């Protein structure tokens, strides 16, 4: 029994030693390397720009730029068109044009008679025609003296005073037959411009 008991003591004494050796070996074992990080794209990720539904892309154009000049040009072109339309309708010569409402009142001299027309806003169509009447002797005299057409007189007046044609008629000024042209300027002023009906020069 003594021998068996001694062997048991030796065996029991070896257990802590074995366990300690196991722990030491476990501590010396290298841990498994971490899993590699997923690949990423270098640089910041920028979301694509989007335009909200219903909103058109912004424009660098300035709203309304050049509109006033375009309106003036269209208005004056309509005045010239009204002259052509009336003269073609009566086969005569315009001696007076007046802007009235949304159209033009035009007087055309044919022989010794005056024909009056109402022309639409664009100056291209006759909307009304009044009966002709005898021309006044003074109007007859001025018309006979004038060698500059109403259209050329309007252009000369606008070159001197930009704006829109309001009316034009033959008249006398400083003993000279002139085209008296009324122009609406950008300041909403009615400016009278006098164009020599025989030379086309603008009077001071």
């Amino acid at each position: 029994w003594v021998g068996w008991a001694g062997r048991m003591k030796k065996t029991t004494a070896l257990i802590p030693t074995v366990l300690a050796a196991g722990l030491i070996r476990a501590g010396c074992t290298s841990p498994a390397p971490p899993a590699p990080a997923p690949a990423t794209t270098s640089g910041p990720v920028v979301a694509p720009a989007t335009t909200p539904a219903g909103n058109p892309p912004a424009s660098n154009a300035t709203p309304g730029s050049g509109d006033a000049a375009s309106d003036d040009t269209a208005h004056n072109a309509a005045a010239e068109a009204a002259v052509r339309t009336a003269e073609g309708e009566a086969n005569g010569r315009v001696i007076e044009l007046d802007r009235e409402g949304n159209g033009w009142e035009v007087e055309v001299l044919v022989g010794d008679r005056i024909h009056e027309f109402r022309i639409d806003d664009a100056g291209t169509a006759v909307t009304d025609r009044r009966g002709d009447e005898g021309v006044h002797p003074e109007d007859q005299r001025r018309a006979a003296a004038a060698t500059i057409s109403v259209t050329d007189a309007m252009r000369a007046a606008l070159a001197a005073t930009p704006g829109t044609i309001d009316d034009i008629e033959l008249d006398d000024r400083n003993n000279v037959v002139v085209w008296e042209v009324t122009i609406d300027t950008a300041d909403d002023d009615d400016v009278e411009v006098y164009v020599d009906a025989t030379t086309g020069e603008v009077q001071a």
Side-chain angles (χ1 to χ4, degrees), residues 59-70:
S59 171
N60 293 326
T62 302
S65 58
D67 289 348
S70 298

Side-chain angles (χ1 to χ4, degrees), residues 72 75-84 87 94-99 104-106 148-170 178-183 191 193-197 200-202:
D72 288 358
H75 176 99
N76 295 326
E80 291 192 17
V83 170
R84 292 192 299 270
E87 288 183 339
V94 169
I95 61 171
E96 184 174 340
L97 175 141
D98 191 14
R99 176 71 175 180
W104 305 90
E105 298 284 349
V106 188
I148 300 299
S149 71
V150 63
T151 299
D152 287 340
M154 287 192 294
R155 292 176 180 175
L158 288 168
T161 305
T164 57
I165 294 294
D166 187 52
D167 63 68
I168 180 170
E169 62 181 343
L170 285 169
V178 298
W179 286 104
E180 180 181 305
V181 188
T182 304
I183 297 176
V191 177
V193 181
Y194 301 94
V195 179
D196 191 313
E201 295 181 357
V202 176

Side-chain angles (χ1 to χ4, degrees), residues 41-46:
T41 303
S42 61
V45 177
V46 180

